[in-house]
Amino acid sequence: MSKLNGAQIVVESLLKENVEVIFGYQGGAVLPLFDALYDAPIKFILVRHEQGAAHAADGYARSTGKVGVCIATSGPGATNLVTGIATAYMDSIPMIALTGQVPTAMIGNDAFQEADITGITRPITKHNYLVKEVNELAKTIKEAFHIARTGRPGPVLIDLPKDVSTGMAEFKYPTEVRMRSYNPTYFGHPGQIKRAAAAIATTSRPVIYAGGGVISSGAAAELKELAEKTNIPVTMTLLGLGGFPGDHALSLGMLGMHGTKYANYAISESDLIIAVGARFDDRVTGKVDEFAPHAKIIHIDIDPAAISKNIEVDIPIVGDVGNVLRELNKLVKPGDTAAWLAKIEEWKKKHPLTYQKEGELKPQYVVEQIYEVTKGEAIITTEVGQNQMWAAQFYKYLKPRTFLSSGGLGTMGYGFPAAIGAQAGHPEAVVFDIAGDGSFQMNIQELATAVQYKLPVNIAILNNRYLGMVRQWQELFFKKRYAQTDISVAPDFVKVAEAYGAEGILITKEEEVRPALQQAVASSKPVVMDFRIAREENVFPMVPAGAALTQMIEGMA
Ligand SMILES: Cc1ncc(C[n+]2csc(CCOP(=O)(O)OP(=O)(O)O)c2C)c(N)n1
């Protein structure tokens, strides 16, 4: 058998894993790899900053369900990936990050562009590897993909010293992975599933609390079946949006800090919570001691470490959410939830999500119009801040993998490169990044990437000329002392778009919103929409940090 060099082995391995798109950036330590990729049948998207590569790979992974792949060179290239890797780790997104490294003989010598990236990323990767032997390369890559996509998914980093990329070896790709220390549990314990079914049959005020695990395990259909069979309302976490149709009569929308009032009331008064692929984040629970005080809790999750971590669970079920729900659906019988649903209906009527419609252009109106124009069929990414919460509240996500947002890490600058990744994975889809003016400026350079690869993403900047969410906290909790949150010194976004070869539109009035959105959707170019919104608009309802879910601040004060 003829030999290949390490870089060629990497490329052949990526092809064996059916990798179709890679996002990355060049550099000395990865030259052999880029040379090997030059002729490969893999689309390469050259970003303008490595953070963009990691977020694009993440957006590609979240929207397609495949493993996202990014590449950076050693040292600064690798460290620029870190925020994107941490973002993927916190949200359990399958990703492979390939980094160049100085030659093995120079590791530890402070060689030019050396950084201990496996050390740096140990706490923010599911696993990572420093490959020291070219003969180990194929097996390592096989394992890395397996770890990234199975169990609770996550990012895996592979650090490739330059001499490993140039060393020669026979290419033999393993057909299976054998790792004794890594055995995710895929099937729930039948006894526990029976207990859960029994609890559901006797409950009168149940709520399903669905998280990102529903989406990553592809269990949306099973979740819908459970909800409809048992007449149990469903509330979702930020990452769970799309896991259950947002326009369904049983949908309560999002819960937690900026969730709907009716979701937070329902959780607080429920007698049974069925947590599915969710991890009881503090943005969801509010004050832990007062979270769902009357409820028994069933928790279905593939990660045993997530069970009883933040909230004590009564019926733990470790397993793949889809598998567990399939078994549960066979056993489950509905309890009597009619009175409960009537009560929830009343809450929904009394406390709808709403906003003051008078006066200046409102961000909520813009998001509602994006929903109308795209008929709920777009892939929406968000940045972080008020824009993210308005996107979560006022757009209804009908299908899984249509809402991509940095939940766990809350990474400003995520949405635009993630939109690029999503568009690369779905060339036919309409993709919107709902952005804040602060966040968009964190990765604005990727406009060049979107233009170069003809990825017609739409960026809707809800431009309040503030770091809005922080300003909101300053208004509410720091007596309006707006310390360093005024960002009114900003570029003209229309001109920036045009300078990059994209389209730009300025929108200052309601009447201009729809025509702008229609123009953007029809355009074959990336479009930046600068929506000049009311500067001091707030996100409501709001549970102040550390308060109980019932202590929501009114929206229409
Ligand atoms: C990288 C990063 N830095 C800082 C923060 C803290 N932070 C959270 S929201 C926010 C303001 C976001 O402002 P903008 O993007 O304009 O969005 P808006 O809230 O106005 O919609 C900041 C600074 C963060 N989440 N991420």
Side-chain angles (χ1 to χ4, degrees):
M1 195 188 260
S2 66
K3 290 189 170 184
L4 301 180
N5 71 27
Q8 290 165 326
I9 289 174
V10 172
V11 172
E12 291 304 317
S13 305
L14 295 176
L15 289 171
K16 291 273 186 204
E17 295 293 339
N18 300 317
V19 171
E20 292 163 343
V21 190
I22 298 178
F23 307 88
Y25 206 82
Q26 260 286 17
V30 282
L31 267 164
L33 189 49
F34 276 72
D35 188 64
L37 280 166
Y38 193 61
D39 301 315
I42 297 179
K43 184 174 168 90
F44 197 93
I45 296 189
L46 176 70
V47 295
R48 296 301 186 268
H49 185 301
E50 291 87 351
Q51 187 187 351
H55 291 325
D58 171 315
Y60 174 85
R62 289 191 208 221
S63 65
T64 61
K66 300 175 192 167
V67 179
V69 180
C70 57
I71 299 182
T73 193
S74 66
T79 55
N80 271 351
L81 289 180
V82 166
T83 301
I85 294 172
T87 302
Y89 181 70
M90 290 289 277
D91 289 347
S92 311
I93 305 305
M95 183 194 288
I96 297 290
L98 287 159
T99 47
Q101 184 53 279
V102 300
T104 42
M106 286 159 81
I107 291 176
N109 292 355
D110 292 342
F112 177 66
Q113 293 194 326
E114 181 188 358
D116 173 12
I117 196 64
T118 45
I120 291 169
T121 59
R122 190 152 296 132
I124 53 161
T125 47
K126 187 171 172 190
H127 196 62
N128 67 22
Y129 298 90
L130 169 61
V131 185
K132 291 197 175 137
E133 260 292 323
V134 66
N135 291 309
E136 291 289 307
L137 203 42
K139 176 173 166 278
T140 304
I141 295 174
K142 175 87 186 172
E143 262 180 32
F145 272 86
H146 177 71
I147 293 171
R149 64 161 78 96
T150 56
R152 178 176 180 166
V156 178
L157 182 137
I158 307 171
D159 202 20
L160 286 172
K162 199 166 178 183
D163 53 321
V164 174
S165 302
T166 51
M168 305 296 288
E170 275 178 19
F171 176 63
K172 260 203 309 212
Y173 205 62
T175 49
E176 56 183 55
V177 175
R178 267 196 227 133
M179 295 175 70
R180 267 204 271 153
S181 55
Y182 178 71
N183 286 307
T185 305
Y186 293 107
F187 292 94
H189 189 283
Q192 295 296 79
I193 296 176
K194 252 191 213 156
R195 280 182 67 202
I200 291 170
T202 54
T203 155
S204 56
R205 301 190 312 277
V207 178
I208 294 172
Y209 150 55
V214 170
I215 294 167
S216 59
S217 85
E222 288 80 0
L223 179 70
K224 189 156 171 262
E225 188 183 335
L226 175 68
E228 288 179 346
K229 232 176 171 171
T230 55
N231 271 319
I232 300 182
V234 182
T235 183
M236 286 157 276
T237 66
L238 183 77
L239 293 192
L241 293 175
F244 186 76
D247 62 349
H248 196 289
L250 288 168
S251 170
L252 300 175
M254 185 170 72
L255 81 164
M257 179 174 277
H258 290 298
T260 62
K261 282 197 162 181
Y262 37 95
N264 286 339
Y265 285 143
I267 283 282
S268 301
E269 292 201 14
S270 69
D271 65 356
L272 180 72
I273 291 174
I274 306 151
V276 190
R279 61 189 176 86
F280 297 93
D281 181 271
D282 54 275
R283 284 289 190 266
V284 156
T285 59
K287 191 171 183 195
V288 169
D289 306 342
E290 289 174 40
F291 178 74
H294 318 292
K296 195 179 233 192
I297 298 182
I298 301 171
H299 190 181
I300 306 169
D301 206 291
I302 193 145
D303 181 4
I307 303 238
S308 291
K309 187 166 159 186
N310 301 325
I311 296 281
E312 205 52 46
V313 169
D314 300 284
I315 307 180
I317 308 177
V318 176
D320 171 75
V321 165
N323 289 338
V324 173
L325 290 183
R326 269 186 291 281
E327 291 307 309
L328 186 60
N329 282 336
K330 285 184 202 157
L331 303 179
V332 86
K333 291 197 176 64
D336 184 2
T337 61
W340 177 232
L341 290 178
K343 188 167 193 184
I344 286 173
E345 217 37 56
E346 250 174 61
W347 281 330
K348 277 189 173 177
K349 280 209 190 93
K350 212 163 150 199
H351 309 287
L353 267 181
T354 186
Y355 58 96
Q356 294 275 12
K357 306 203 175 179
E358 299 76 44
E360 291 172 89
L361 181 59
K362 292 295 166 75
Q364 300 93 331
Y365 176 79
V366 175
V367 175
E368 280 174 349
Q369 291 304 308
I370 296 176
Y371 177 69
E372 295 291 324
V373 166
T374 61
K375 301 185 183 70
E377 285 169 5
I379 296 175
I380 305 288
T381 71
T382 78
E383 302 294 340
V384 167
Q386 295 181 313
N387 59 87
Q388 178 183 34
M389 293 301 123
W390 287 318
Q393 292 178 332
F394 290 93
Y395 194 102
K396 290 188 198 73
Y397 301 93
L398 309 178
K399 281 187 283 189
R401 303 195 181 282
T402 57
F403 177 71
L404 322 181
S405 192
S406 168
L409 200 65
T411 312
M412 289 173 71
Y414 167 81
F416 178 36
I420 288 178
Q423 188 82 74
H426 300 268
E428 303 308 319
V430 173
V431 179
F432 268 85
D433 171 31
I434 296 183
D437 45 320
S439 299
F440 181 53
Q441 289 181 74
M442 284 207 175
N443 275 317
I444 198 166
Q445 76 288 345
E446 300 308 332
L447 274 169
T449 309
V451 169
Q452 178 174 350
Y453 296 96
K454 299 190 169 38
L455 298 166
V457 296
N458 305 296
I459 301 115
I461 307 174
L462 305 177
N463 186 355
N464 49 19
R465 286 137 285 153
Y466 276 122
L467 297 174
M469 186 57 100
V470 183
R471 186 211 56 74
Q472 175 169 340
W473 286 47
Q474 289 171 331
E475 178 184 335
L476 298 174
F477 312 117
F478 291 87
K479 303 195 177 105
K480 289 202 175 195
R481 287 158 54 85
Y482 294 166
Q484 313 308 339
T485 44
D486 186 321
I487 50 166
S488 44
V489 174
D492 177 332
F493 290 114
V494 172
K495 283 192 184 154
V496 170
E498 288 167 359
Y500 274 108
E503 258 177 63
I505 313 174
L506 176 69
I507 304 98
T508 58
K509 299 196 247 333
E510 265 194 16
E511 314 82 271
E512 297 168 349
V513 172
R514 257 186 116 93
L517 292 172
Q518 278 154 349
Q519 182 186 330
V521 169
S523 171
S524 55
K525 285 186 181 177
V527 180
V528 177
M529 286 154 279
D530 182 358
F531 292 98
R532 295 296 173 90
I533 59 162
R535 287 200 79 191
E536 298 190 59
E537 186 67 18
N538 286 334
V539 182
F540 288 123
M542 177 181 192
V543 179
L549 287 188
T550 45
Q551 292 165 352
M552 283 170 277
I553 303 177
E554 230 356 287
M556 308 289 282

